[in-house]
């Protein structure tokens, strides 16, 4: 550090900018400013520097009139400039250059919709303004599999990989297209070409041409991030091109206010990976987590001195809360999604949830709800006096946990007034009246006070923030209680004690700079230089020398770059991105220390340590097992260089002469235990050794810390606070309905289902479950009624309830502890045979009957039958589709019945041509994973019962089911009233047809007074000679899905949803077939038509594509399965989205590069249809997609599709969409039309060309000028969650 100069660490956040200055002599100054205050200053960080310089030196400006830099040693800063531009879509116009046929590749993305219950599907707005398709293409060589007759040029990629140049770059057409874009004023271009990460020849040529034509910002995807997966790499390149010019302008503006443009001052910016970089190297795509990363560095480096336990970072701000974990090293992820954009770059694993001080408060259908909507910084909470709504901040103010007299007067229209207690109180009076009115109408005589209402919302907010912390720990097999909570951020101190108690954590660390810890983290961080390149080599002795050479080369480059910046102390961290061959679960692995190898040494391992041992250990920790005799592939080689920080250590504070400090006064504060007169302490007066017992309020210059009753605080030698929290013991509540605990138990029950899912995903082995996440987990009551079902697979919703209740009818009193049941038969509540359901009864202590049930349903890749994959498109009986189980004891008395299950799975059914399972090992592994997931559910249920008591837990199970019933009744009352006003009747009818003419008929009779309905499917078609028969459970799932969509907000998905509805389904019909009927198509196709029929009857929106477009390709040695997106239906007020999965499915599609690397196919086209497939209307339906697959060898192609004859309907005068089409273009040019359900052998050179259906239009056409892609222009400005927990939940909703 420059000895006599002032050094600044700054966190420029969305609302506030925090400044920390280390003055000559070691004095530390802090300051907090509004990030935007244009009437007073143009740039908050620069203003903070100016103010501190003036206050400390009496001088701030140089003779030039700019901020004097002669006294500045260094500036280290994190900023949300890139994040805000991404969230608000305020970056620079970008032209995207892609291969011909892929113009909509980044719009379609992985084809999954963001929220499965939103009928108005709002996809994030594109980062590019226009697209240029360039006629050029390279594909992997595949010499052992490719049988195409071709003479394509061979190109060499990284690590000796070979690629074929199908088409060279058409430079003439490219120049013409790019010139047109340049003439429109676009100066930023992103080039995203397939396989360029490994063979960049085409991208380099396109980039050179773009620069020749005058584009000032040219981003090549292989330079932005040289990793496989063209979609994620494309998003990263677009983000780079979109954000970097915006960031550069901000940096130029920041420098312009300083004398000599900060020349001679060491200016560093924080990146998403927790490392600093020079201002010149600060790029948009690596700046997304710039601010939050500083907080992680801050708590990691300061908290570790107070404990040896792992730390959980808890950073609660105004609009959101960041949660992370530190256990001796930073936890990085390579791929994460923010604001709908997947960024491939090293990033700290920071999980952001929509719960902050500005989270809004609602009372819906008898339940307290907090967020995810936020009041933001404008208008802000009600107490900000700008017309804002009630928020968590207002609740804390009412409870006395925020003291206006200690807050700056920056509120009100002129930003010169204090927080307003009276406005918050008046709004709470209104909410209190609404809640008490509901309680009275429900027969509850209690009258809640304003403080009880506010405290209820605080409890719900706390539970909302606990869920991601549990997911971050318990899902990895870690004990949440075996951590220390590190609390920082402006609002975190008001909730820290309660959060810790809820999680069983007994110790909380609050750093003395907790209010600005992100800024302090900037001062402590190292400068980071990252280098990475793709590999593709097998991790083996044969390739060890080559891998070592690349690690050496990258290490030398990294060291040289840091040495050039003047660093003397440099550390290098090597990483290999490893995965088992044939899997997608790659892990970025650092080696164990050299000389401490635990596996066989090799030249590579002796130089850098043991990558192999670390990979096995990490894989076993993450997934619960390792794979035997499976090759390990090195996807990428990475070196992380650290220029070590030399900021001096913190100084200690003075020792206290007495145990308890003097209080500044007292204030009335409300807690669960009641109201207390709590002492107020100023943290600036606290000395080392001071001890404070709760309740108390500690006022920091930058935040407020609430010490709850039965908690205590001790001041450390460095002036930090250690809070000791009393944990354990049962919660003192009874079984009577309480609307606050209703919300809390809803979170806890859902968390159980979610944690079961994480265990299943972690311990399973098959692609379908581990990577496609095609599974669901649920909790059931003692009567088999659904309690909570994490909303993952719409077609599973409610269906498992039928399965559990079937087992109760069949086995009843015979169920005993240690039994686990397997079922998949349609007559036993199954969906289709590949979906195997594992059910475990939950026994508690001495209770003779199960007190709950847990169950998990997973899609197994094969369970026998007449075709690989057990999804034959032409099956006519259940026996042709594989092994069927009605009620099979897979575990009896705690013993896994392996011999019996192997026999059942390997024995062919009686159907002609049927065989047993083709992948027994995966079946057994996945079944064991399902059993393990259920076991996790049992543990979590037992913990919940231990905390609250069995009678309370079961009572709230019933309360939550009744609450779901109440929400549906409220909806039906509203629909009944609206229908009566519109038509004079409360009877709704609709009829839809399958492509074979089978009708789906529905008559809905609504009782608007009771909020009930009769759904009568009488008149639906008889059972069909084919596989489009839908088991009864599928019909109920479709109905629950539609009800949840129409409710429009989160409600517990349980049996209560169907309680107000009587359902009549005719026996031996297409919706409730006979026991031996084929059903595989009913699950994936008829379910969609049921949804079309229900939504048509209620008049909610036009039909979506109504098909899952199931495609199976393979031969005797391999198989590939995908479902393909189409158009969504339009509705009142919205255009339908295009290129997206709708309703009963939401599966992701394989990335084009992965597809072409692993399988003998070339993806020639994947884009939206251009023939007007979406129905026209006042609001237009979404477009279907075109997807063309060229086969490189003979294979068997199976298609199972619908809407190839009949069109998806329009509504309210809107036009119908176009139906889909399946074609095979033969290698000799002939074109053959395929039926909707068929199986055909194709040859090398043949192409399967599919057009999927569009979505119907809504309202008469003439008022709308454009087709809606379903882009979420406003939605992109809303708060967006991020992190591995969010990515996992998104992936599960995409299955």
């Amino acid at each position: 550090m420059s000895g006599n100069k002032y050094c600044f660490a700054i966190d420029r956040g969305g609302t506030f900018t925090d400044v920390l200055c280390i003055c000559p002599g070691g004095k530390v100054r802090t300051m907090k400013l509004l990030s935007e205050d244009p009437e007073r200053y143009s740039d908050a960080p620069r203003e903070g520097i100016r103010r501190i310089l003036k206050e400390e030196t009496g001088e701030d400006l140089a003779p030039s009139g700019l901020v004097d830099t002669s006294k500045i040693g260094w500036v280290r800063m994190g900023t949300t400039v890139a994040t805000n531009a991404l969230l608000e879509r305020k970056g620079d116009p970008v032209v995207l250059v892609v291969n011909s046929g892929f113009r909509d590749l980044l719009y379609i993305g992985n084809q999954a919709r963001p929220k499965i219950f939103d009928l108005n599907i709002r996809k994030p707005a594109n980062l590019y303004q226009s697209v240029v398709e360039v006629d050029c293409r390279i594909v992997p060589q595949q010499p052992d599999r490719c049988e195409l007759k071709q003479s394509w040029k061979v190109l060499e990629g990284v690590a000796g990989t070979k690629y074929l140049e199908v088409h060279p770059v058409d430079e003439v057409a490219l120049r013409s297209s790019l010139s047109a874009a340049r003439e429109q004023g676009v100066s930023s271009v992103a080039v995203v070409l397939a396989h360029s990460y490994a063979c960049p020849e085409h991208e380099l040529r396109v980039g050179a041409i773009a620069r020749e034509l005058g584009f000032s910002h040219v981003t090549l995807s292989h330079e932005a991030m040289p990793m496989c997966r063209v979609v994620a790499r494309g998003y990263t390149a677009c983000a780079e091109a979109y954000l970097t010019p915006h960031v550069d302008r901000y940096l130029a503006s920041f420098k312009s206010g300083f004398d000599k443009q900060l020349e001679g001052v060491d200016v560093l910016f924080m990146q998403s990976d927790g490392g600093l970089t020079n201002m010149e190297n600060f790029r948009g795509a690596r700046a997304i987590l710039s601010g939050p990363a500083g907080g992680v560095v801050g708590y990691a480096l300061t908290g570790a001195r107070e404990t040896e336990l792992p730390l959980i970072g808890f950073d609660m701000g105004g609009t959101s809360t960041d949660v992370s974990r530190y256990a001796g090293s930073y936890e990085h992820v390579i791929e994460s999604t923010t604001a709908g954009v997947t960024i491939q770059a090293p990033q700290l694993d920071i999980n952001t949830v929509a719960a902050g001080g500005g989270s809004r408060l609602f009372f819906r259908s008898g339940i307290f709800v907090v967020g995810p909507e936020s009041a933001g910084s404008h208008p802000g909470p009600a107490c900000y006096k700008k017309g804002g709504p009630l928020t968590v901040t207002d609740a804390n103010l009412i409870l006395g946990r925020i003291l206006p007299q200690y807050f700056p007067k920056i509120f009100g229209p002129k930003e010169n007034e204090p927080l307003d207690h009276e406005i918050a109180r008046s709004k709470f009076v209104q909410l209190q009246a609404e809640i008490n009115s509901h309680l009275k109408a429900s027969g509850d005589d209690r009258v809640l006070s304003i403080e009880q209402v506010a405290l209820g919302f605080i409890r719900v907010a706390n539970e909302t923030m606990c869920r991601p912390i549990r997911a971050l720990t318990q899902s990895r097999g870690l004990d949440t209680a075996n951590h220390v909570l590190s609390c920082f951020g402006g609002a975190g101190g008001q909730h820290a004690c309660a959060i810790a108690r809820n999680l069983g954590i007994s110790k909380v660390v609050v750093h003395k700079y907790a209010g600005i810890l992100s800024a302090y983290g900037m001062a402590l961080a190292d400068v980071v230089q990252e280098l990475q390149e793709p590999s593709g080599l097998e991790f083996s002795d044969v390739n060890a020398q080559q891998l070592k050479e690349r690690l050496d080369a990258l290490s030398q480059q990294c060291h040289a770059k840091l040495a050039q910046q003047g660093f003397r102390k440099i550390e290098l961290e090597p990483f290999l991105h490893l995965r088992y061959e044939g899997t997608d679960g790659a892990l970025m692995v650092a080696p164990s220390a050299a000389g401490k190898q635990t596996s066989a040494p090799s030249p590579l391992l002796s130089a850098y340590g043991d990558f192999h041992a670390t990979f096995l250990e990490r894989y076993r920790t993450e997934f619960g097992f390792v794979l035997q005799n499976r090759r390990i592939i090195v996807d990428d080689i990475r070196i992380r260089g650290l220029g070590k920080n030399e900021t001096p250590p913190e100084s200690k504070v003075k020792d206290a002469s007495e145990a308890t400090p003097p209080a500044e006064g007292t204030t009335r504060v409300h807690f669960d235990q009641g109201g207390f007169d709590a002492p107020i302490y100023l943290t600036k007066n606290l000395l080392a050794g001071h001890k404070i017992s709760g309740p108390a309020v500690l006022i920091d210059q930058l935040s407020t810390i609430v010490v709850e009753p039965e908690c205590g605080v001790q001041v450390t030698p460095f002036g930090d606070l250690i809070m000791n929290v009393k944990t354990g013991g049962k919660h003192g509540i009874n079984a009577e309905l309480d609307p606050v605990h209703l919300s809390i138990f809803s979170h806890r029950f859902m968390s159980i289902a979610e944690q079961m899912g994480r265990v299943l995903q972690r311990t399973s082995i098959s692609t379908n479950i581990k990577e496609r996440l095609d599974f669901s987990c649920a909790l059931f009551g003692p009567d088999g009624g659904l309690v909570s079902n994490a909303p993952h697979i719409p077609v599973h919703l409610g269906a498992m309830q039928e399965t559990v209740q079937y087992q109760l009818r069949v086995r009843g009193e015979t169920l005993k502890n240690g039994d686990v049941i397997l079922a998949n038969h349609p007559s036993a509540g199954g969906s289709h045979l590949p979906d195997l359901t594992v059910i475990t009864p939950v026994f508690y202590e001495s209770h003779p009957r199960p007190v709950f049930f847990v169950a998990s349903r997973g899609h197994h890749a094969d369970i026998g039958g007449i075709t690989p994959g057990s999804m034959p498109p032409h099956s006519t009986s259940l026996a042709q589709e594989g092994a069927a189980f009605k009620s099979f004891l897979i575990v009896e008395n705690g013993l896994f019945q392996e011999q019996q299950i192997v026999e059942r799975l390997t024995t062919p059914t009686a159907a002609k041509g049927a065989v047993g399972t083709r992948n027994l090992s995966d079946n057994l592994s996945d079944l064991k994973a399902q059993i393990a997931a259920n076991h996790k559910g049992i543990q979590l249920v037992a913990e919940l019962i231990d905390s609250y008591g069995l009678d309370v837990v079961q009572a709230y199970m019933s309360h939550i089911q009744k609450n779901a019933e109440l929400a549906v009744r409220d909806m039906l009352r509203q629909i009944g009233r609206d229908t009566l006003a519109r038509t004079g009747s409360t009877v709704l009818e609709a009829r839809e047809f399958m492509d074979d003419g089978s009708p789906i008929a529905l008559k809905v009779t609504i009782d608007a007074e009771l909020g009930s309905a009769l759904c009568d499917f009488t008149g639906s078609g008889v059972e069909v000679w084919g596989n489009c028969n839908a088991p009864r459970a599928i019909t109920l799932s479709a109905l629950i899905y539609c009800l949840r969509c129409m409710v429009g907000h989160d409600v517990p998905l349980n049996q209560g949803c169907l309680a107000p509805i009587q359902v009549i389904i005719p026996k031996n019909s297409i919706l409730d077939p006979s026991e031996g009927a084929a059903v595989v198509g009913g699950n994936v196709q008829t379910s969609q038509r049921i949804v079309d029929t229900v939504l048509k009857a209620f008049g909610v929106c036009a039909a979506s594509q109504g098909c899952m477009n199931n495609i199976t390709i393979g031969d005797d040695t391999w198989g590939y399965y995908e479902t393909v997106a189409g158009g969504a239906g339009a509705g009142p007020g919205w255009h339908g989205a295009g290129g997206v999965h709708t309703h009963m499915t939401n599966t992701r599609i394989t990335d084009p590069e992965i597809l072409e690397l692993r399988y003998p196919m070339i993806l020639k086209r994947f884009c939206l249809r251009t023939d007007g497939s979406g129905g026209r209307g006042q609001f237009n339906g979404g477009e279907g997609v075109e997807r063309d697959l060229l086969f490189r060898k003979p294979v068997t192609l199976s298609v199972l599709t619908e809407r190839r004859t009949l069109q998806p309907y329009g509504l309210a005068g809107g036009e119908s969409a176009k139906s889909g089409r399946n074609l095979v273009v033969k290698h000799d040019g002939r074109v053959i039309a395929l039926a909707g359900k068929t199986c055909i052998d194709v040859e090398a050179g043949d192409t399967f060309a599919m057009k999927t259906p569009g979505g119907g239009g809504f309202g008469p056409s003439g008022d709308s000028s454009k087709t809606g892609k379903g882009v979420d222009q406003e939605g992109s400005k809303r708060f967006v969650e991020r992190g591995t927990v969010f990515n996992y939940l998104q992936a599960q909703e995409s299955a």
Side-chain angles (χ1 to χ4, degrees), residues 85-149:
L86 186 63
L87 290 171
E88 299 171 11
R89 295 302 194 258
K90 289 184 177 178
D92 270 31
V94 174
V95 59
L96 171 65
V97 179
V98 294
N99 300 102
S100 181
F102 294 95
R103 66 177 178 274
D104 300 306
L105 182 65
L106 298 189
Y107 171 75
I108 298 170
N110 62 18
Q111 77 181 6
R113 62 192 185 275
K115 297 178 182 288
I116 59 174
F117 297 117
D118 281 2
L119 297 173
N120 176 11
I121 298 171
R122 290 168 291 194
K123 302 179 76 171
N126 295 324
L127 297 185
Y128 53 86
Q129 178 176 289
S130 59
V131 180
V132 168
E133 293 183 88
V134 57
D135 190 8
C136 67
R137 192 72 156 88
I138 62 171
V139 297
Q141 187 178 30
Q142 292 193 348
D144 299 332
R145 306 176 83 180
C146 183
E147 298 180 19
L148 294 173
K149 296 178 181 178

Side-chain angles (χ1 to χ4, degrees), residues 53 136 167 207 317 406 606 778 915 925 1063 1116 1264:
L53 285 177
C136 67
H167 299 290
Y406 292 101
S606 62
V915 300
S925 295
V1063 183
D1116 292 339
S1264 178

Side-chain angles (χ1 to χ4, degrees), residues 113-119 791-794 797 1041 1045 1143 1145-1146 1293-1294:
R113 62 192 185 275
K115 297 178 182 288
I116 59 174
F117 297 117
D118 281 2
L119 297 173
H792 302 148
I793 315 297
L797 288 174
Y1041 166 79
C1045 289
H1143 300 322
T1145 189
N1146 203 26
E1293 290 193 7
S1294 308

Side-chain angles (χ1 to χ4, degrees), residues 195-207:
H195 302 289
S196 60
Y197 74 98
C199 188
E201 187 171 308
H202 285 179
E203 273 199 357
L204 290 169
R205 186 64 198 129
V206 173

